[in-house]
């Protein structure tokens, strides 16, 4: 079974998400929107894929129970099966799987207590 297939997103806390998005847009050419910036690419089979870059407010609770100022999102192929295997391996699962038009999400903690978001994407929802 494949586990992680790519980086789905880079999320981090900032004092002023709007100013941060504007800075990256002006100086680095990011195409920003309310959520940050989406980078489009193709996987080795030629399928459309995306990676999300998103600054969050410094008081967000989204990364809890981690105390870190960032969270990584990794793309996976079969979220439900992967979470079963990870649980059997003793990995801490955080919360319940959430499903949306654009994919399924689950969360775990790594060995340093970082919250990791696992995403089984439906990239076609964005096209």
């Amino acid at each position: 079974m494949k586990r992680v297939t790519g980086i789905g997103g880079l999320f981090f806390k900032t004092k002023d998400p709007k100013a941060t998005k504007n800075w990256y847009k002006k100086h680095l050419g990011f195409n920003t929107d309310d959520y940050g910036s989406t980078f489009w690419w193709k996987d080795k089979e030629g399928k459309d894929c995306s990676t999300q870059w998103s600054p969050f407010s410094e008081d967000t609770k989204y990364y809890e129970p981690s105390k870190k100022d960032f969270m990584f999102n990794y793309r996976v192929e079969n979220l439900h099966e992967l979470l079963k295997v990870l649980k059997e391996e003793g990995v801490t699962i955080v919360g319940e799987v959430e499903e949306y038009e654009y994919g399924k999400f689950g969360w775990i903690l790594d060995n340093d207590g970082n919250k990791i978001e696992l995403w089984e994407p439906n990239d076609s929802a964005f096209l």
Side-chain angles (χ1 to χ4, degrees), residues 9-125:
L10 307 169
F11 309 132
F12 60 96
K13 294 180 182 182
T14 181
K15 290 183 182 191
D16 188 342
K18 184 176 180 181
T20 299
K21 286 184 274 188
N22 288 337
W23 188 94
Y24 277 81
K25 183 175 187 168
K26 177 179 179 181
H27 298 291
L28 297 180
F30 282 31
N31 183 17
T32 58
D33 59 22
D34 289 344
Y35 301 102
S37 186
T38 304
F39 295 90
W40 288 97
W41 48 279
K42 294 193 183 289
D43 67 13
K44 66 182 179 180
E45 285 88 35
K47 292 185 280 183
D48 289 321
C49 299
S50 64
T51 298
Q52 183 66 32
W53 172 91
S54 295
F56 279 70
S57 169
E58 66 184 353
D59 62 353
T60 186
K61 305 290 185 217
Y62 194 62
Y63 308 162
E64 290 182 357
S66 176
K67 303 295 184 206
K68 303 293 175 81
D69 289 338
F70 61 87
M71 183 176 70
F72 298 120
N73 168 298
Y74 295 112
R75 299 168 61 91
V76 300
E77 283 193 0
N78 188 329
L79 179 62
H80 288 288
E81 286 301 313
L82 178 56
L83 288 173
K84 284 180 194 174
V85 170
L86 293 173
K87 186 174 184 176
E88 290 170 3
E89 294 174 348
V91 173
T92 301
I93 309 297
V94 179
E96 300 295 324
V97 171
E98 294 183 18
E99 298 188 26
Y100 301 93
E101 172 187 352
Y102 46 89
K104 300 172 189 171
F105 296 86
W107 299 268
I108 62 173
L109 294 179
D110 72 9
N111 61 313
D112 288 320
N114 297 312
K115 187 176 180 183
I116 304 295
E117 186 170 67
L118 302 174
W119 175 39
E120 182 180 329
N122 177 13
D123 290 302
S124 63

